[in-house]
Amino acid sequence: MWKKFKRLFIIKTKFEAFLIIYALATGAVARGQDYLVQYPGFGGKLLFLACTGAVFMAGAKMLDAIEYRNAYGPDY
């Protein structure tokens, strides 16, 4: 039973990864817009870029992990 439950949280395909990246990006942009309102000027823009940059790094890591999993097997 726990194996079936655990499979729900494993990203198996690039399509699933892109859906998660989209959700992360949507949240990051919303948070970045709040930062632009709270911290007008250069500081808000830097925080906005930090939010969106984190999504780029997380997305790249997810896509690489899927490629490694396909190349080396599910135990990698």
Side-chain angles (χ1 to χ4, degrees), residues 3-75:
K3 287 185 180 182
K4 287 183 181 180
F5 183 71
K6 188 173 106 175
R7 280 192 322 183
L8 292 172
F9 297 99
I10 296 175
I11 303 168
K12 297 174 201 81
T13 64
K14 285 189 177 184
F15 180 72
E16 292 172 350
F18 286 129
L19 288 176
I20 293 170
I21 293 167
Y22 177 77
L24 288 173
T26 303
V29 169
R31 179 175 288 211
Q33 288 174 342
D34 289 340
Y35 283 147
L36 287 174
V37 171
Q38 291 176 1
Y39 306 105
F42 187 68
K45 290 177 185 177
L46 276 178
L47 289 170
F48 187 91
L49 288 174
C51 288
T52 55
V55 174
F56 281 114
M57 290 188 289
K61 185 67 175 174
M62 277 191 270
L63 293 174
D64 283 344
I66 291 171
E67 290 178 12
Y68 288 143
R69 182 181 175 93
N70 291 338
Y72 296 113
D75 293 331

